[in-house]
Every structure is written in structure tokens, then in C-alpha cells.
Amino acid sequence: SAVISQKPSRDICQRGTSLTIQCQVDSQVTMMFWYRQQPGQSLTLIATANQGSEATYESGFVIDKFPISRPNLTFSTLTVSNMSPEDSSIYLCSVAPQRTKGYTFGSGTRLTVV
Amino acid sequence: SQELEQSPQSLIVQEGKNLTINCTSSKTLYGLYWYKQKYGEGLIFLMMLQKGGEEKSHEKITAKLDEKKQQSSLHITASQPSHAGIYLCGADGRNYKLTFGKGTLLTVNP
């Protein structure tokens, strides 16, 4: 299965600033997914990122707040913009090169906004 | 949209005991996934089920999908402290979008 390197693993940021999270996959994948896990909650899909096209955002998430880049088939970034304390969450990327073998997740970025 | 209901929300068992976690879907499942998450970490894939009546096992963990493909159970035999964590069921469709249940927090006391 694919291996994902996600950075940073954690960060503490000031409100109003932005943070960019990176995910590097060890193989080429068509789709990459970004999730948010708020404290004590389950995972919620933010957007799907395909190489060469704009990301598709789920209801409640907008590009201005969570811009995503997908420059090639092994890399993607998610930026959390103009952060507020409500953005404090764990953010995870995911890929599914072979769906029946499970979606692989990055180790997550624990973001705290103060 | 698909909703997944997990029960129980939390579970405390004595080491060596068996336990079962359930996951019920509001719609027929296309693919059902079980994951384990340690506190503050990423998700570890356990098993994937997609056929009605399917059952899979890995070490002491067995997952089943009912014939109607709307309910799945995860059974752990002779639990160990290493089984502790949050267990999440997830479901996807042809669009590859995973929806998760709220999770079950498992504590195994030695």
C-alpha cells in the first residue's frame, strides 16, 4: 500500500495567520483527499484533489479558506487561511490507489490556533 | 448523504475479554471500512468489506457485513491492551468519498 509523509505533524499558530500542510506520497495516485477531525469528533471530508484540475470541495468548505494545490501525482498541499481558534483540529490527507486495500492516511497535522 | 451510526460510543473491558462494536448505515453500503486510530495519530486500516454476508479476520479481529449490507460488526477476541484506541467505521461510494461514524473509544484494562 501507499506510504504518505505529512508535514508538519503539529503546529501552534496565531489567529489571522495561515498554515500550509504538505503530503507526499511514495507512488503516483490520481485522487488525494483532505479531511478535518475536530476535537472529539470523527473525520469530515474537506475536498478531493485531482492533479491538473481544481479541487472539489464538500459542503461547508470553501476554496478561499482551504486552498489546495496538486502540482503532480505524488504531492498536495492544504492551506488553512486566516485562522481562528475554531480551526483547531487534526488535518489528514488520504489516498486510495487500490480501494479494496483501504484508503491510506497520513499521520495527521495537529493544529492549535491561539 | 450516507450516515453511519456506531455503538457503543465507548467501551471499557478487562484484558482477555471479547467485545463487539457495531456500525449501522442509513443506506445500503457500497464499501465498508474499519480503521483504528491511536490518540492524535493517523488511521490504521484494518479491513474492508463489500459483499453481503462477507466476513474477514486479521489476527484476533473479525469484521462482518450483513446480507442486506447495512450493518457491520467488529469483534475482538481475547482483547489486549494493544487493542486500545478509537475504532472508526467508514463507507464510500463510487465517488470514493469516505464518510465516517463517530467512533468507538476502546479501553482495555490489564
Side-chain angles (χ1 to χ4, degrees), chain A residues 10 31 33 35 37 40-45 48 56-58 90 92 94 96 99-108 110, chain B residues 6 30-33 35 37 39-43 45 48 50 56 86 88-89 92-93 95-103:
Chain A
R10 58 178 62 226
M31 288 188 285
F33 307 91
Y35 289 84
Q37 187 175 28
Q41 303 295 316
S42 191
L43 282 78
T44 302
L45 181 63
T48 303
T56 304
Y57 289 83
E58 297 301 304
I90 298 174
L92 301 103
S94 175
R99 179 180 158 270
T100 55
K101 294 189 177 181
Y103 292 71
T104 301
F105 285 81
S107 54
R110 180 178 290 275
Chain B
Q6 268 187 256
Y30 181 67
L32 188 285
Y33 301 78
Y35 285 88
Q37 184 178 31
Y39 175 75
E41 297 180 10
L43 276 67
F45 171 68
M48 185 264 189
Q50 56 182 359
K56 289 185 179 178
I86 299 171
L88 293 159
C89 64
D92 71 347
N95 58 12
Y96 284 78
K97 296 181 180 181
L98 263 180
T99 302
F100 285 93
K102 292 187 176 181

Side-chain angles (χ1 to χ4, degrees), chain A residues 13-90:
Chain A
C13 300
Q14 296 290 324
R15 65 176 68 200
T17 63
S18 297
L19 175 72
T20 295
I21 302 166
Q22 300 180 0
C23 275
Q24 178 75 51
V25 189
D26 68 346
S27 57
Q28 293 185 338
V29 292
T30 305
M31 288 188 285
M32 290 184 73
F33 307 91
W34 287 97
Y35 289 84
R36 179 177 73 181
Q37 187 175 28
Q38 293 178 299
Q41 303 295 316
S42 191
L43 282 78
T44 302
L45 181 63
I46 297 172
T48 303
N50 292 331
Q51 193 267 336
S53 62
E54 289 217 357
T56 304
Y57 289 83
E58 297 301 304
S59 176
F61 298 96
V62 295
I63 188 171
D64 289 346
K65 177 68 176 177
F66 298 101
I68 289 171
S69 78
R70 185 79 203 276
N72 57 52
L73 291 173
T74 63
F75 187 78
S76 180
T77 67
L78 169 77
T79 298
V80 186
S81 302
N82 188 25
M83 289 183 285
S84 67
E86 291 70 36
D87 294 319
S88 297
S89 297
I90 298 174

